[in-house]
């Protein structure tokens, strides 16, 4: 079956620090990969996606590259802001399956 | 601003009440979903509708009853809920679930439900 593993949080950073949140997956077939972000009191927002190997998804300064050889989709940002504080979910979808989420990683950015 | 609208934003109800959660999207999506999310956990899938027909029920108790009146609307009818049902209920939509595995789901902001 499909599964997603994310690094445990919270991740605590100072403003302007470099961010990496690790995500690895197990899937049948050729999954599409997603990062969602959930700000406090809100629903999930799609942050970025990649649909095939070596694709790079990017949005709002965040990037993630679909690495088939390492089954990974790590989220990175060069300089985080306080407003990036949120919970980040890595997710995949393969074939006719529904979304499979990781457990989520909370990011806390201090001024 | 989200393109999936959920009402109400907050709901407090007793265990004997009957209430409904509503979800609306105007993106032309033909798949719609209900999720339950507990604090500090990922969303858990409850139901999937594809072309207004129920295609997935993840063994959800019958006190939750979904309804899809048309391609833009999705309801979740609640009756005789338990305290453990208190959670954030999220609605999502996407292009047809069967043939669009690379299409993302778009989520609403959810209804925060508290059962007294």
């Amino acid at each position: 079956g499909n599964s997603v593993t994310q690094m445990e949080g919270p991740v605590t950073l100072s403003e302007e620090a470099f961010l990496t949140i690790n995500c690895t997956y197990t899937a049948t077939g050729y999954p599409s990969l997603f990062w969602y972000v959930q700000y406090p009191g809100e629903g999930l927002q799609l942050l970025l996606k990649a649909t095939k190997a070596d694709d790079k998804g990017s949005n709002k300064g965040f990037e993630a590259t679909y690495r088939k050889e390492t089954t990974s989709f790590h989220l990175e940002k060069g300089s985080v802001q306080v407003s990036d504080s949120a919970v980040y979910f890595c997710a995949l979808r393969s074939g006719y399956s529904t979304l499979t989420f990781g457990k989520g990683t909370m990011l806390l950015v201090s001024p | 601003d989200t393109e999936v609208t959920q009402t109400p934003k907050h709901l407090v109800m007793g265990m004997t009440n009957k209430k409904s959660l509503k979800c609306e999207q105007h993106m032309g999506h033909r798949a719609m979903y209900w999720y339950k999310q507990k604090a500090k956990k990922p969303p858990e899938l409850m139901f999937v509708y594809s072309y207004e027909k129920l295609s997935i029920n993840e063994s959800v108790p019958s006190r939750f009853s979904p309804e899809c009146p048309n391609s833009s609307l999705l309801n979740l009818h609640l009756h005789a809920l338990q305290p453990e049902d208190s959670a954030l209920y999220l609605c999502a939509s996407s292009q047809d679930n069967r043939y669009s595995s690379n299409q993302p789901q778009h989520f609403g902001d959810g209804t925060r439900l508290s059962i007294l």
Side-chain angles (χ1 to χ4, degrees):
Chain A
N2 297 336
S3 68
V4 176
T5 302
Q6 287 181 240
M7 57 191 295
E8 294 278 336
V11 173
T12 304
L13 295 173
S14 298
E15 205 164 25
E16 299 184 4
F18 185 86
L19 168 70
T20 299
I21 299 178
N22 290 337
C23 171
T24 57
Y25 66 89
T26 303
T28 55
Y30 302 96
S32 295
L33 303 173
F34 307 91
W35 276 101
Y36 283 87
V37 58
Q38 187 172 30
Y39 298 101
E42 297 185 10
L44 275 69
Q45 296 178 26
L46 177 68
L47 184 59
L48 52 84
K49 72 172 188 177
T51 58
K52 60 183 187 297
D54 301 324
D55 266 2
K56 178 186 281 188
S58 61
N59 185 25
K60 299 181 182 179
F62 291 90
E63 293 183 340
T65 301
Y66 189 142
R67 300 285 188 203
K68 190 168 183 288
E69 63 277 11
T70 55
T71 62
S72 65
F73 193 53
H74 304 321
L75 183 68
E76 296 182 334
K77 187 176 185 184
S79 175
V80 294
Q81 306 299 311
V82 172
S83 56
D84 293 326
S85 298
V87 179
Y88 292 81
F89 292 97
C90 185
L92 71 81
R93 190 173 175 193
S94 177
Y96 299 156
S97 72
T98 55
L99 270 179
T100 299
F101 286 98
K103 291 186 176 181
T105 303
M106 179 178 287
L107 171 65
L108 300 171
V109 181
S110 57
Chain B
D1 287 340
T2 181
E3 297 173 344
V4 177
T5 304
Q6 290 188 243
T7 56
K9 291 191 182 305
H10 302 275
L11 180 61
V12 179
M13 57 187 287
M15 289 190 283
T16 58
N17 292 157
K18 287 184 180 181
K19 296 285 185 182
S20 297
L21 310 185
K22 298 185 182 301
C23 175
E24 188 168 6
Q25 59 88 14
H26 293 289
M27 294 179 281
H29 290 166
R30 302 311 299 270
M32 296 186 76
Y33 311 79
W34 280 115
Y35 289 86
K36 174 183 178 181
Q37 187 181 25
K38 300 287 270 186
K40 300 185 180 181
K41 298 288 187 183
E44 298 174 20
L45 184 66
M46 300 174 72
F47 302 104
V48 180
Y49 273 83
S50 182
Y51 287 85
E52 295 133 62
K53 294 191 187 307
L54 184 64
S55 61
I56 295 177
N57 176 343
E58 292 286 358
S59 303
V60 179
S62 60
R63 57 186 184 267
F64 295 91
S65 176
E67 177 196 19
C68 189
N70 61 55
S71 60
S72 300
L73 294 174
L74 186 66
N75 298 322
L76 186 63
H77 303 298
L78 314 172
H79 175 55
L81 295 194
Q82 303 298 308
E84 62 265 26
D85 297 323
S86 297
L88 180 68
Y89 287 83
L90 293 165
C91 174
S93 70
S94 71
Q95 292 185 13
D96 182 2
N97 182 60
R98 293 167 295 173
Y99 306 113
S100 307
S101 64
N102 62 349
Q103 296 301 314
Q105 292 180 17
H106 297 260
F107 286 81
D109 280 340
T111 294
R112 190 160 299 281
L113 178 64
S114 298
I115 307 300
L116 301 180

